[in-house]
Amino acid sequence: MKKKLNIETLLSHLGEDRESHQGAVVPPIYQNSLFTFEDWDDIDAAFDDRTARPIYTRLINPTTQVAERKIAALAGPDYACRLTASGMGAISAAVMHVVSPGDHIVAVKNLYGPANNLINRYLKEKMGLEVTFVSGEQASDFKEAVTERTSLIMMESPSSAVFSLQNIAEVAAFAKGTSITTMIDNTWATPLYQKALDMGVDIEVHSASKYLGGHSDIVAGAIISSEERIQEMIVNESELLGATIAPHTSWLITRSLRSLVMRLEYHQKNAMRVASFLEAHPKVRRVRYPGLTSHPQHDLARQQMSGFTGLMSFELATDELDDIKSFFNSLEVFQIGVSWGGHESLIYAPAISYLKELPPERFKDLGISLGDMRISVGLENADDLVADLSHALQAM
Ligand SMILES: Cc1ncc(COP(=O)(O)O)c(C=O)c1O
């Protein structure tokens, strides 16, 4: 598109190439593994640049490209996106793109669990990399942890476990003058509300299973970075590690992106209402939501994000498992389940999986307690959500 358009318009129209599809207002799904060629010279030319023209869906698929262009536009005009089969597919491809044996990684300790396990268990124990986990609330945490072998700094801000933030611009500025690559899991804020690449970060990773998908009907991931780096990843990590997104999933993401701006505004509005209700409730010890002025890093949150989404946690004012279960089991509108970022409100108690997977001291060190409830505030009516929570708190 030639004119400079705003993001809602780009999410509707960018990359759709309607002229090639008989004016179809929704692009067709290229549900095919391979693409055929006229003759020897035609396929020979395609192999000159395997990222330019579709040859095989593991490399390029036109349906996937539509969604990739829109997601890249969310981050800014100068970036490119690579969709993957899951958020973990994006994280593992991006990490493998950066690190080599013998390298050192500095990561926030509250990184999404499987991402933490990827670097701590898989890369450290199986492949001999060194890892240092830091709190990350101060940029100096990273500066103090790096060694001459550090090749990667991994952030997740806000963290989806305890909602702590890193000062993204400061960490990126420190790494800029070095050979360290910075990466952020930007799933919570989405590239709409947090322009991490503009703040100097090298690579953004996302679980597109959350807000980018938004309907709880797909599992997918996204990597956003410079055009050059994404081109390299297509012929390396996409081709070799193979976490390829299915064309139908990409098509569903294109569907979802058209309403992203409106959905996030509504998630934010509902989340503020729910967070304020919980904060004022006597049976709630504390609420962790970066949008509340009581959040210890609220000023930083306002500085580096232009909006807030719908995931938060709160701690019930009890340590009695029976009371905690009564609350949990009394909810009717909030559904019990993992994941977040969809249309439906969800509740999950991190203790359920953490206590099975982690030794008790690590659980404590992460700052999570038995009464912590993580909720994803969906797109239902806010009165119904507040009434549901209120009724369950009374049942406690
Ligand atoms: C913050 C965060 N990053 C990454 C992931 C992984 O994404 P996926 O489940 O799409 O592999 C998740 C999934 O819950 C997540 O919450």
Side-chain angles (χ1 to χ4, degrees):
M1 294 214 164
K2 294 185 199 78
K3 276 183 268 166
K4 195 178 171 317
L5 298 167
N6 291 298
I7 194 65
E8 296 87 338
T9 315
L10 291 173
L11 293 176
S12 257
H13 301 292
L14 181 72
E16 308 247 339
D17 190 18
R18 295 195 176 110
E19 309 78 55
S20 311
H21 304 299
Q22 306 192 57
V25 72
V26 175
I29 308 178
Y30 280 82
Q31 187 64 51
N32 42 298
S33 57
L34 73 129
F35 298 80
T36 59
F37 294 85
E38 287 291 306
D39 54 22
W40 176 287
D41 288 345
D42 195 28
I43 193 166
D44 188 58
F47 271 90
D48 287 341
D49 177 0
R50 288 176 302 142
T51 68
R53 193 177 153 185
I55 300 172
Y56 188 60
T57 282
R58 180 149 41 78
L59 288 161
I60 299 286
N61 178 285
T63 308
T64 295
Q65 282 181 311
V66 178
E68 287 176 339
R69 288 194 182 122
K70 290 185 202 288
I71 294 175
L74 278 170
D78 301 324
Y79 307 116
C81 167
R82 183 65 179 167
L83 283 172
T84 55
S86 67
M88 278 311 297
I91 293 170
S92 54
V95 169
M96 297 302 268
H97 174 76
V98 176
V99 299
S100 304
D103 282 1
H104 173 242
I105 299 173
V106 181
V108 281
K109 68 178 181 187
N110 283 309
L111 217 52
Y112 170 63
N116 187 307
N117 291 343
L118 170 75
I119 58 175
N120 201 30
R121 287 212 214 127
Y122 205 87
L123 294 179
K124 187 172 160 194
E125 287 173 20
K126 280 191 96 168
M127 301 173 80
L129 276 84
E130 290 295 322
V131 182
T132 305
F133 287 104
V134 296
S135 140
E137 284 179 24
Q138 307 296 327
S140 55
D141 295 344
F142 294 95
K143 292 183 199 167
E144 283 158 19
V146 299
T147 71
E148 57 197 18
R149 307 239 304 268
T150 308
S151 60
L152 175 66
I153 286 180
M154 278 185 81
M155 297 179 269
E156 183 185 322
S157 183
S159 105
S160 59
V162 295
F163 306 94
S164 60
L165 275 64
Q166 297 97 60
N167 188 322
I168 298 168
E170 226 182 287
V171 175
F174 147 72
K176 240 356 167 218
T178 69
S179 56
I180 301 169
T181 301
T182 47
M183 189 183 301
I184 186 168
D185 184 328
N186 199 15
T187 304
W188 190 90
T190 81
L192 180 70
Y193 285 166
Q194 184 158 265
K195 307 283 182 214
L197 299 180
D198 283 351
M199 285 186 251
V201 171
D202 298 306
I203 305 173
E204 265 186 48
V205 287
H206 291 268
S207 169
S209 326
K210 314 296 188 264
Y211 294 111
L212 297 178
H215 295 67
S216 301
D217 52 8
I218 59 160
V219 170
I223 308 168
I224 318 173
S225 189
S226 65
E227 186 94 40
E228 192 187 356
R229 196 187 292 271
I230 294 293
Q231 297 283 86
E232 276 175 30
M233 285 190 187
I234 292 174
V235 290
N236 287 291
E237 288 73 28
S238 288
E239 162 128 76
L240 306 180
L241 303 179
T244 311
I245 191 166
H248 183 241
T249 309
S250 302
W251 183 85
L252 285 168
I253 293 177
T254 292
R255 175 276 322 251
S256 298
L257 291 172
R258 302 190 200 288
S259 62
L260 181 75
V261 175
M262 305 79 190
R263 282 190 287 110
L264 287 188
E265 272 174 21
Y266 208 84
H267 278 293
Q268 172 168 217
K269 189 161 78 69
N270 275 0
M272 280 306 298
R273 173 88 192 281
V274 165
S276 306
F277 163 78
L278 289 169
E279 191 171 40
H281 201 286
K283 290 191 178 172
V284 173
R285 216 171 257 155
R286 67 167 163 181
V287 180
R288 285 164 157 159
Y289 181 60
L292 286 177
T293 51
S294 59
H295 187 280
Q297 293 171 296
H298 179 70
D299 290 345
L300 178 62
R302 282 217 168 275
Q303 186 186 310
Q304 61 189 20
M305 290 188 280
S306 58
F308 304 109
T309 58
L311 187 74
M312 68 182 78
S313 75
F314 60 96
E315 190 183 358
L316 294 170
T318 176
D319 301 314
E320 295 300 321
L321 187 57
D322 284 349
D323 289 342
I324 294 167
K325 280 188 183 175
S326 292
F327 164 78
F328 198 77
N329 295 338
S330 298
L331 289 162
E332 288 172 3
V333 180
F334 278 82
Q335 303 291 298
I336 298 169
V338 296
S339 198
W340 45 281
H343 62 91
E344 76 290 15
S345 290
L346 292 169
I347 184 150
Y348 177 63
I352 292 169
S353 55
Y354 277 40
L355 283 175
K356 288 194 211 310
E357 288 165 16
L358 298 173
E361 64 283 0
R362 172 121 173 84
F363 177 68
K364 218 164 161 206
D365 180 48
L366 287 175
I368 293 170
S369 63
L370 194 60
D372 266 331
M373 300 288 123
R374 196 181 75 167
I375 53 172
S376 175
V377 178
L379 300 174
E380 302 95 334
N381 183 288
D383 289 342
D384 294 339
L385 298 178
V386 166
D388 197 34
L389 290 164
S390 176
H391 167 258
L393 284 163
Q394 270 162 24
M396 214 171 94

